[in-house]
Amino acid sequence: DLVLTQTPLSSSVTLGQPASISCRSSQSLVHTDGNTYLSWLQQRPGQPPRLLLYKISNRLSGVPDRFSGSGAGTDFALKISRVEAGDVGVYYCVQQTQFPHPMYTFGQGTKLEI
Amino acid sequence: QVQLQQWGAGLLKPSETLSLTCAVYGGSFTGYFWSWIRQPPGKGLEWIGEINHSGNTNYNPSLERRVTISVDTPKNQLSLNLTSVTAADTGVYYCARGGLSRWGLGTLVTVSS
C-alpha cells in the first residue's frame, strides 16, 4: 500500500521566516488521467482540517499566496514564504488513489510551531 | 457556502455500534463523493470510506469488515455505522466533501467500559 512520509515531523519557525515541509510517496502519484492528486491540509489547534492546496500546487479560494506547493512523481513540498502566528498547527499531505482500490492516504502530519 | 453538520452518540461501550450522521447544507450533494475520516486523540488522520448520492461506496480495507456508509439523498445526508467498537476506535470523526474541500466540525466518540 501507498505510504506518505512527511519530514520534518515538527518544526519551530520564527515569525516572518519561511517554512518548508516535505512529503515523499512510496510510489508515483501520477494518476492514469495524467493528474497528481496530492493535496495539503492545515489543522489549527482544536479545529477540523482545512484544504490549502490540491493537485500539488492549486490554492483553494481564500488561501493566502504565502502558501505554495511543488513537486512531481514521488516528492512534494509545501512552502510558507513568511510564517504568521495563525499558521501554527499540523500540516498533512494527502493522496487520493484509485488503484488497487479507491482511497485517501494521509501523511503522518508535521507540527508547525512559532 | 456549503456546511456539514454532524451528530451522533459520543459515548459507547466496547462491542457496541458507532452511528453518526452528516447533513450537507447549501451546496450540491449529488456532484460529489462524501467521506468519513477519523482522528484518534493526539494522532493523525485515517480515511474510513466514502459514498456518493447513488449509494456507491469505497471503504478503507483495514476497516471494511466493520463499516457501513449509507446515504439519504432526499435529505442530503450520509451516515456511518462502525460495529464492534473498541477503545482503539476512540477519536474525532469527521465527514468531508470529495477532494476534502469541506469538513464538518467533527464528533468526539469515546469508547469506554
Side-chain angles (χ1 to χ4, degrees):
Chain A
D1 284 352
L2 183 145
V3 175
L4 296 178
T5 302
Q6 291 184 226
T7 54
L9 296 183
S10 180
S11 179
S12 183
V13 186
T14 303
L15 288 174
Q17 294 300 304
S20 182
I21 299 169
S22 169
C23 177
R24 176 164 290 179
S25 173
S26 59
Q27 58 190 260
S28 174
L29 301 186
V30 180
H31 194 277
T32 52
D33 66 8
N35 291 305
T36 299
Y37 296 97
L38 188 285
S39 300
W40 289 94
L41 306 172
Q42 174 196 61
Q43 187 173 29
R44 292 170 171 151
Q47 295 189 14
R50 164 199 180 198
L51 181 66
L52 296 177
L53 302 167
Y54 61 96
K55 287 197 285 186
I56 303 176
S57 59
N58 295 272
R59 274 187 300 275
L60 205 65
S61 176
V63 173
D65 59 8
R66 299 183 294 106
F67 293 89
S68 64
S70 63
T74 60
D75 290 291
F76 304 90
L78 171 69
K79 295 180 181 177
I80 309 173
S81 59
R82 299 173 305 280
V83 171
E84 299 182 357
D87 298 336
V88 166
V90 181
Y91 292 79
Y92 297 91
C93 59
V94 54
Q95 164 67 11
Q96 184 178 10
T97 57
Q98 293 297 315
F99 301 101
H101 36 71
M103 69 178 293
Y104 289 89
T105 302
F106 296 91
Q108 321 99 298
T110 295
K111 186 173 185 179
L112 185 69
E113 300 172 306
I114 305 289
Chain B
Q1 182 80 351
V2 175
Q3 293 190 353
L4 284 66
Q5 183 176 342
Q6 309 174 215
W7 65 90
L11 181 60
L12 298 172
K13 290 181 168 51
S15 80
E16 292 185 334
T17 296
L18 180 158
S19 293
L20 299 175
T21 299
C22 172
V24 179
Y25 300 101
S28 171
F29 186 77
T30 59
Y32 297 92
F33 270 85
W34 300 87
S35 284
W36 287 100
I37 294 155
R38 70 180 182 177
Q39 185 171 36
K43 296 188 178 181
L45 300 164
E46 180 181 32
W47 183 76
I48 299 169
E50 65 180 1
I51 193 166
N52 70 358
H53 71 282
S54 298
N56 298 307
T57 54
N58 297 302
Y59 296 124
N60 187 326
S62 68
L63 295 168
E64 189 166 14
R65 290 184 303 107
R66 298 193 292 132
V67 172
T68 302
I69 298 176
S70 58
V71 67
D72 186 339
T73 301
K75 292 185 178 179
N76 285 5
Q77 292 180 1
L78 62 153
S79 295
L80 169 69
N81 274 11
L82 180 67
T83 61
S84 305
V85 296
T86 69
D89 296 309
T90 293
V92 177
Y93 286 72
Y94 297 99
C95 57
R97 193 172 70 178
L100 309 183
S101 55
R102 291 287 186 270
W103 292 67
L105 294 179
T107 302
L108 175 61
V109 176
T110 302
V111 180
S112 174
S113 55

